[in-house]
Every structure is written in C-alpha cells, then in structure tokens.
Amino acid sequence: MADISPDQDLDLSFLYEIADGSTEFIVESIAMFLQQTPELFDDIDRSLAGKDWATAGQAAHKLKPNLGFFGMPISQEIIQEVEIACKEGGLNAEEITKKFNQVKTLVNANLITLQQIKTEKEAEL
C-alpha cells in the first residue's frame, strides 16, 4: 500500500458547506470528532489485540461516517476494509492490524490539523 500523506485525506468543504457560516458549528463539530476519534481508536486497538472481531468491527463502523463527514475518504475506505475483515472473523489479523494502523497514522496527523483549525475558529468567536 502506497504512503499517503494526511493532506491528501482531509477536505473540510462538506463541513464548511453545512455549517453555512456558523463558526460555532465548526468548532463544536471538530471538538466532538477530536473527543470521539481517539476513544474509537482505543476500542479498536483493544479489540484487535484481544481478537474480539465483533467489537472491532462495530467500532470501525461507528468511526467510518465520521471520517466521511470530515472529508477523509481514503481513511474512510480503509476503515471500511477493516470493518468488513472484522465482520468476516478476522481471517487475516496481520493485514487488519496493518490497515488499521495506517488509518490511525493518517487520522492522528489530521487530528493535529483539526485542533489547529478549532483553535483558530475559537478565536473568531
């Protein structure tokens, strides 16, 4: 799998479109994503380590639409692959973990960018 940089996987145009000029909406949406995403990552990490495929798949399923909302289609596609593989019983645990770690690396870099955007937007309030 080719290396993907985080800036290739972050497009906030949908967020800005539905915010319709509301800085408060943008700040609150980003804050929620910044809180929920690490929690879901922890759930998936624990579940993969324990080979609890059902729980890992459920957490990946919860994370997937959030990635789409925040314009991370590459990460969303990869987490969908993780979800499907988990639902199939984790037949290739090493590949699932590799894909999940790729998503986590991409998204964690984007979390830094989102925190910066949130801070800038909060200053506008």
Side-chain angles (χ1 to χ4, degrees), residues 52-72:
D52 180 352
W53 307 116
T55 302
Q58 289 168 356
H61 181 74
K62 290 178 185 176
L63 179 60
K64 186 174 55 178
N66 296 347
L67 297 174
F69 182 80
F70 280 89
M72 298 182 205

Side-chain angles (χ1 to χ4, degrees), residues 47-102:
S47 300
L48 291 178
K51 299 193 184 320
D52 180 352
W53 307 116
T55 302
Q58 289 168 356
H61 181 74
K62 290 178 185 176
L63 179 60
K64 186 174 55 178
N66 296 347
L67 297 174
F69 182 80
F70 280 89
M72 298 182 205
I74 297 167
S75 293
Q76 185 182 35
E77 182 179 322
I78 298 168
I79 204 69
Q80 180 172 347
E81 293 172 13
V82 169
E83 176 190 358
I84 290 168
C86 287
K87 287 182 177 180
E88 292 173 347
L91 298 176
N92 189 344
E94 186 177 316
E95 185 64 24
I96 294 170
T97 301
K98 180 181 172 185
K99 286 180 183 234
F100 174 65
N101 286 332
Q102 182 184 25

Side-chain angles (χ1 to χ4, degrees), residues 19-34:
D20 196 28
S22 172
T23 301
E24 187 174 339
F25 180 83
I26 293 168
V27 168
E28 289 175 3
S29 296
I30 292 173
M32 186 170 54
F33 186 76
L34 291 172

